Amino acid sequence: MAARQLHFSPKKVALAMAVGESTVKRWCDSGAISTTKTSGGHRKIGLDSLQHFLHETEKCIAHPEVLGLPNLAPSRTKCVCNSKNPVSQAFCDALVCGDEATCRKLVFELVESGSRRSEVAESLITSTMYGFGEAWACNQIDVYQERRGCDIVMGLLHELRRSLPKPDACAPVAIGGAPEGDPYQLPTAMVELALLEAGWNATNLGCDLPLDSIQTAARDYAPQLVWLSISAVSDQDRFVAAQNEFAESLSDDVTLLVGGRAVSGDLRRRLVCTAHCTTLRHLVDLAEMPSMNSGKRSPTQLPVAGDVGPPPVDPESNS
């Protein structure tokens, strides 16, 4: 037997939305909220009708407990990015709803139109996941929607990576990842994509890696470039000491690029690296410079380039 749909009186809806009962009745009479009537002529508002109204008007439920609903507004599937770019907004809307096919279509339409894969990833994924983080913090989307969005985005990044030709046998080697205590997968995966597209034989080592493990990988791979994508730092002093020790362990002919949302101006000045990057575009510009093998030095000796990868989604996420 199908479960009966919940129905509410205008008075209860008004209390839940923190508005006057007469306002809710006016919405009902105008047709903005579809209603049914009891045999006694009293209005009843179905949950589906209320959800549709909230979605269309971008209003929200201030007190969902009045209606016996969880503390998550029925309008949680509304767009969360508010982007002025219609393609970015469409991507965001599809990702919120878990519409992987539409997300993929939008991504590859841009690629087929001539945009670089890394540019598409940054323009669509970065803004969307930042919007997801804000929406999650504001209780506009549920945890499962954020996790599902991250899985879809990671799948798209893997597909973009697979669509690239294999690196030339003589391509310079790059490795990198996110250090221990940093659980974010997306930023370092986007760096790998950008470098592969720029002609490097790039390998993403993953996230939450001890720096001595990345140091071991540097010995195994003998790379010309190492990147650190840093989106979360719990203890700056400890991290600076470990990162600088790691930097000094690299050969003088290895370029070390550092970037990420957690690398503030103060922290950046304390890190030993070849350059600091703030966007994937700037990362690619540096990677394509003939002088990339000039070795490590204080970041104050080179112009700041920008953040590597998108902002993190939420501190509890494994994405």
Side-chain angles (χ1 to χ4, degrees), residues 11 15 17-18 58 67 112-113 116 133 143 170 179 188-189 193-194 219 229 237 264 267 269 271 280 295 308 316:
K11 183 177 181 178
L15 289 171
M17 295 184 67
E58 296 193 357
L67 303 179
E112 290 165 5
S113 71
R116 296 180 70 137
V143 175
C170 59
T188 187
L193 176 66
R219 289 195 296 268
S229 177
D237 291 338
S264 63
L267 179 60
R269 287 188 289 271
L271 299 179
L280 288 179
V308 176
E316 303 300 323

Side-chain angles (χ1 to χ4, degrees), residues 20 28 41 55 65 85 89 97 156 193 195 198 218 264 279 281 287 318:
C28 294
H55 178 78
E65 67 278 3
N85 184 309
Q89 188 62 68
C97 298
L156 290 172
L193 176 66
L195 289 173
S264 63
T279 66
R281 179 65 259 174
N318 290 325

